[in-house]
Amino acid sequence: MLDQISSVFFEEANELLDNLEEQLLSLEQNPSDLETIGAVFRAMHTIKGSSAMFGFNSISEFTHEVESAMDQVRNGIVPVNSELIGLMLKARDHVREMLDCGQDIPQTLAANSQTLIIAFKTFVAQNGGTKSDSAALSQPEPSPEQVNTPSTSPASTFRIKFRPSKKVLQNGTRPELLVKELTEMGTATVVSFSDSLPPLSKMDSELCYFYWDIILTTQKTENDVQDVFIFLDTDSKFTIEKVELNPEDNHRIGEILVDRNDISKAAIDSIMQEHKQLGQILVEKQVISQQQVKSALAEQQHFKSLNNESTSSIQASSAQSSIRVSSEKLDLLVDLIGELVTFNARLEQLAVEKNISILKNLSEQCGRLALSLRDTSMDIRMLPIGSLFMRFKRTVRDLSDQLGKKVELVIEGAETELDKTVIEKLNDPLLHLIRNSVDHGIELPLERVSKGKNASGTLKLSAKHQGGVVLITITDDGKGLDKEAIRKKGIERGLISTTDELSDSDIYYLIFQPGFSTAKQVSNISGRGVGLDVVKKDIMSLGGSVSIESTPNKGTSFILKIPLTLAIIDGMLTQIGNTKYIIPVNTISECLFFSSCSENEDSLFPYTKVHGKNVPCIDLRTFFNVPLPRPAKSEVVTIFTQEGIFGIVVDKILGNRQTVIKPLGKLYQNSLGISNSTILGDGSVALILDVFKLTDMIIKQVKSN
């Protein structure tokens, strides 16, 4: 039962907190943005109400105090400044810590709650506000009658149908509190239904037998109304329709029933020929239920009271345009589509072998449908990279305060889309590069002014599509990399010699070597080069690459090339002995016949001629210890890396294939040179090569010689 509560409450609360951080940082840049102020207030209000509903009283009591402070900000009593934003960010982090602890809040967190509450009350008092009270925590229960709230500006009217599941009480949800919260939002008419109520002898006290129709006129938005149901379990249902009031028209009961889709207009027209009240006739003929008439009459009375018995027409708004789907379901969908792609490949192969024209046509149609379905499913998994970029606003703000610097984070291309799996794996490398740029790239304000720069530094995070990859750039306007210092350090460590002629990019790339650093003093935040080898490995594990551009006193740019998705890739199918292997196409430079320059043909690391240059290779037949006889002619796939061109020698190159990635089992996860697997059209398994591990082996061999 707790797992079901967690899947609803904790997931939604954490999402609210993620959005809250972004909203607070945006509010700091634009303190007069009333819409953002309202969004911050609503987030705290929602967490307060939902945590109380699920029994998290510590969270509810703390967020009530924060909500009270934001209410005074919303009413223009207390101003928005950096101190308030800092307190709100601390409160946001504190709520997340309490969520992580669940019901058992340790004493230290309880003490922190009181400290922050005092800080909020002090801030409010010092800025012309009034102390908060606890009235909001003890509101009286509403009566299922019409509740009137004065309105000073034009309001919207919503028709709400709330159908809680019978087991909603077992999930810890109290549906009557949700109805209560709706009535507090404006003028509300509530109709409760109990026709599902069984005899007393058959009643189960743990089940909910009631449901409600609510007509609500409020100054709140439709999103505010939806937020009331944000933690509702998936078995419960609700609909929200916006009703447009027009005093020129009449509110007849028949029109209301038709508008609510309870009955057709044709049925109304035929029944109207009888000389009885419409509701009575409809119930007698069992066209609709007594409950539906009751709800429609309540709605009619609601409109009459709002318009002083003048009437209006009703137009339902469109249905919700989006739904929430768990990432596990999306992963399963892609897996099933991968199976469909594999099945279609087998069908196509069978059609060719049997030479049946009808089967060929069917396989072609199936192939087009499978391709369209695959593209659609991949689009569903794509997320704007802005969801990742926005997380770093808080990082830059906190680092700037800690280091005594002024740094502005500029985000470009936030709408650029990437597979959600790729986005998740990009967080750590991007975080490390940003910390390095703020700590060692951008100078202190006095140093920047002495160089004729603006005292405030700029860190730009941008993304854009470039072919089949996404180009992510982290650029600072700091002092740039010290090329001579890097070269000197590389010589000291034996990575290069004094006679080596290296390009600027080759010299800069030395900082990605393990433990490489030119910093005289390594800070506890980051050290330029310390840990950047991990960044390189993380990016390469995604099938991407990283490069550096730097100009003295102008700044440094880290450029990342990342594939769009890790679920389905273009692969080059190769064969060694009786086993087939896939090489990702985005890593391939050329495919050539292999001509060995080495004396020993069975060498693990032979050389081959490519455009007149000796290229080091790895012979996979020797690497995998294949016992079958070597073919008369071998082929080589050259791989482009930051360190240069390297070759992978195979028996035969079979051609390009759409590859659905299948993860290896735990037993094979550490297999050297193998990253994943895939299923071919004939049902056989092909292994996907880890080209970066293989090229690393070649590089180590070359350096050891």
Side-chain angles (χ1 to χ4, degrees), residues 315-418:
Q315 297 176 344
S317 64
S318 60
Q320 286 179 294
S321 59
S322 63
I323 59 173
R324 181 183 300 277
V325 179
S326 67
S327 59
E328 290 79 7
K329 290 182 180 179
L330 290 179
D331 293 338
L332 177 60
L333 175 63
V334 172
D335 288 341
L336 292 175
I337 292 172
E339 297 293 336
L340 180 60
V341 171
T342 302
F343 167 78
N344 182 68
R346 296 177 65 182
L347 179 63
E348 185 178 359
Q349 184 173 336
L350 179 64
V352 173
E353 290 176 355
K354 300 297 183 181
N355 196 24
I356 303 174
S357 59
I358 295 179
L359 194 58
K360 288 181 180 178
N361 291 335
L362 289 175
S363 68
E364 289 177 2
Q365 291 181 5
C366 182
R368 288 193 295 270
L369 290 173
L371 182 63
S372 177
L373 187 58
R374 184 204 69 187
D375 291 342
T376 301
S377 67
M378 295 307 300
D379 286 343
I380 294 174
R381 285 168 56 99
M382 303 295 274
L383 294 175
I385 201 169
S387 61
L388 173 64
F389 283 0
M390 292 302 177
R391 300 178 195 173
F392 301 123
K393 281 191 171 183
R394 175 75 181 277
T395 302
V396 172
R397 179 186 187 276
D398 291 347
L399 286 175
S400 300
D401 290 344
Q402 185 176 349
L403 296 169
K405 298 180 179 180
K406 297 179 181 179
V407 183
E408 179 186 1
L409 178 63
V410 177
I411 294 176
E412 294 180 356
E415 71 284 354
T416 305
E417 292 188 334
L418 263 175

Side-chain angles (χ1 to χ4, degrees), residues 350-545:
L350 179 64
V352 173
E353 290 176 355
K354 300 297 183 181
N355 196 24
I356 303 174
S357 59
I358 295 179
L359 194 58
K360 288 181 180 178
N361 291 335
L362 289 175
S363 68
E364 289 177 2
Q365 291 181 5
C366 182
R368 288 193 295 270
L369 290 173
L371 182 63
S372 177
L373 187 58
R374 184 204 69 187
D375 291 342
T376 301
S377 67
M378 295 307 300
D379 286 343
I380 294 174
R381 285 168 56 99
M382 303 295 274
L383 294 175
I385 201 169
S387 61
L388 173 64
F389 283 0
M390 292 302 177
R391 300 178 195 173
F392 301 123
K393 281 191 171 183
R394 175 75 181 277
T395 302
V396 172
R397 179 186 187 276
D398 291 347
L399 286 175
S400 300
D401 290 344
Q402 185 176 349
L403 296 169
K405 298 180 179 180
K406 297 179 181 179
V407 183
E408 179 186 1
L409 178 63
V410 177
I411 294 176
E412 294 180 356
E415 71 284 354
T416 305
E417 292 188 334
L418 263 175
D419 188 287
K420 71 174 188 65
T421 307
V422 179
I423 288 179
E424 291 167 0
K425 294 184 177 180
L426 274 175
N427 182 75
D428 288 347
L430 285 180
L431 177 62
H432 198 91
L433 291 173
I434 287 171
R435 288 168 67 92
N436 268 282
S437 294
V438 176
D439 189 12
H440 291 291
I442 297 176
E443 311 94 329
L444 289 167
L446 289 178
E447 184 180 352
R448 291 180 61 85
V449 171
S450 67
K451 295 179 179 179
K453 296 182 178 181
N454 193 312
S456 177
T458 301
L459 180 65
K460 184 166 73 173
L461 195 56
S462 64
K464 64 179 180 180
H465 286 111
Q466 189 179 76
V469 300
V470 169
L471 205 65
I472 300 174
T473 307
I474 304 98
T475 303
D476 64 66
D477 63 348
K479 56 190 174 185
L481 294 176
D482 189 336
K483 183 173 62 174
E484 293 304 319
I486 295 172
R487 182 184 180 91
K488 182 178 179 181
K489 191 71 175 182
I491 294 172
E492 289 178 3
R493 297 193 56 187
L495 299 173
I496 57 175
S497 67
T498 55
T499 58
D500 286 342
E501 295 183 4
L502 302 175
S503 64
D504 289 351
S505 60
D506 290 335
I507 294 175
Y508 296 147
Y509 203 71
L510 291 174
I511 69 174
F512 287 109
Q513 296 297 322
F516 191 97
S517 178
T518 60
K520 297 178 181 179
Q521 182 178 0
V522 178
S523 71
N524 60 353
I525 295 175
S526 65
R528 175 75 76 174
V530 176
L532 289 184
D533 61 310
V534 178
V535 173
K536 185 183 91 169
K537 289 179 180 178
D538 287 345
I539 297 301
M540 286 188 166
S541 70
L542 295 173
S545 63

Side-chain angles (χ1 to χ4, degrees), residues 540-544 587 640-641 690-697:
M540 286 188 166
S541 70
L542 295 173
T587 65
F640 174 79
T641 72
D690 187 343
V691 296
F692 298 108
K693 289 283 181 66
L694 296 173
T695 54
D696 279 346
M697 293 175 61

Side-chain angles (χ1 to χ4, degrees), residues 26-187:
S26 174
L27 185 60
E28 187 173 30
Q29 299 298 320
N30 187 8
S32 60
D33 188 346
L34 296 179
E35 184 176 346
T36 304
I37 291 173
V40 172
F41 173 81
R42 289 193 300 273
M44 281 300 172
H45 175 75
T46 302
I47 294 173
K48 180 199 76 171
S50 301
S51 57
M53 182 174 64
F54 285 99
F56 296 93
N57 295 328
S58 297
I59 298 177
S60 178
E61 292 170 3
F62 174 74
T63 50
H64 167 65
E65 297 294 341
V66 181
E67 178 199 19
S68 299
M70 282 306 302
D71 187 42
Q72 299 197 50
V73 174
R74 187 178 61 162
N75 293 328
I77 301 172
V78 174
V80 175
N81 54 31
S82 296
E83 184 181 357
L84 174 66
I85 298 299
L87 282 173
M88 289 296 299
L89 288 171
K90 289 179 181 178
R92 176 257 182 202
D93 295 342
H94 183 63
V95 172
R96 172 151 284 172
E97 289 180 10
M98 289 195 288
L99 285 171
D100 293 339
C101 293
Q103 297 280 5
D104 301 323
I105 303 295
Q107 190 63 36
T108 53
L109 277 184
N112 289 342
S113 293
Q114 294 304 315
T115 302
L116 282 170
I117 287 173
I118 292 172
F120 271 103
K121 288 183 176 180
T122 302
F123 173 81
V124 169
Q126 290 177 346
N127 287 273
T130 58
K131 293 183 178 180
S132 62
D133 53 45
S134 302
L137 295 175
S138 57
Q139 295 287 346
E141 292 291 329
S143 169
E145 302 292 336
Q146 183 168 323
V147 180
N148 292 317
T149 301
S151 175
T152 58
S153 60
S156 300
T157 298
F158 300 97
R159 178 191 295 143
I160 305 163
K161 294 184 178 181
F162 178 28
R163 305 293 184 262
S165 65
K166 282 195 173 182
K167 296 182 179 180
V168 69
L169 299 175
Q170 298 175 3
N171 299 332
T173 305
R174 293 179 59 186
E176 76 277 9
L177 293 183
L178 302 184
V179 177
K180 169 181 177 287
E181 188 171 352
L182 288 171
T183 63
E184 293 172 348
M185 297 177 75
T187 301

